[in-house]
Amino acid sequence: MDSYMVAYDISDPKRLRKVARVCEDFGYRKQFSVFLCRLSATDFVRLRSRLYDLLKLEEDQVLFIPLCAKCVNQIEAIGRPTEAHDAKDVVVVV
């Protein structure tokens, strides 16, 4: 399993909600448009595919930022507390 920070900028509110729901299936929200996901290679392909089908490529953008285990454990937050990466079980719904 690899860790990814998934961040998006979606121009249409309806598509934005759909993208957020898909991301919730694969990880957990760190901020409004940022998710932390632990994904197998298969889950990574599924997530990309589901998001690709929702996006307008000329208007929207999704970033998949790979994070090493050391990087994930060094995530810091200022302000509102954040949960540890493995604090919750994540259920993947396909």
Side-chain angles (χ1 to χ4, degrees):
M1 300 275 272
D2 294 320
S3 295
Y4 292 88
M5 187 74 63
V6 179
Y8 50 82
D9 183 17
I10 308 300
S11 62
D12 177 71
K14 188 175 179 180
R15 281 196 314 275
L16 176 70
R17 286 188 295 278
K18 290 179 182 179
V19 167
R21 276 188 242 123
V22 168
C23 289
E24 287 170 347
D25 288 344
F26 289 89
Y28 64 96
R29 189 184 299 270
K30 296 300 280 181
Q31 293 188 351
F32 287 116
S33 296
V34 179
F35 282 77
L36 190 54
C37 304
R38 287 194 53 164
L39 303 169
S40 67
T42 302
D43 289 336
F44 182 72
V45 171
R46 286 184 185 143
L47 174 59
R48 283 181 48 107
S49 175
R50 286 180 60 186
L51 292 173
Y52 186 87
D53 291 342
L54 295 175
L55 300 178
K56 281 198 173 178
L57 300 179
E58 38 316 314
E59 298 176 17
D60 303 329
Q61 183 183 62
V62 177
L63 301 175
F64 299 92
I65 304 164
L67 299 173
C68 68
K70 182 179 177 183
C71 296
V72 170
N73 292 327
Q74 292 180 343
I75 292 174
E76 290 185 40
I78 297 175
R80 187 171 43 87
T82 185
E83 292 185 12
H85 180 59
D86 289 328
K88 294 181 184 177
D89 289 334
V90 177
V91 178
V92 177
V93 180
V94 190

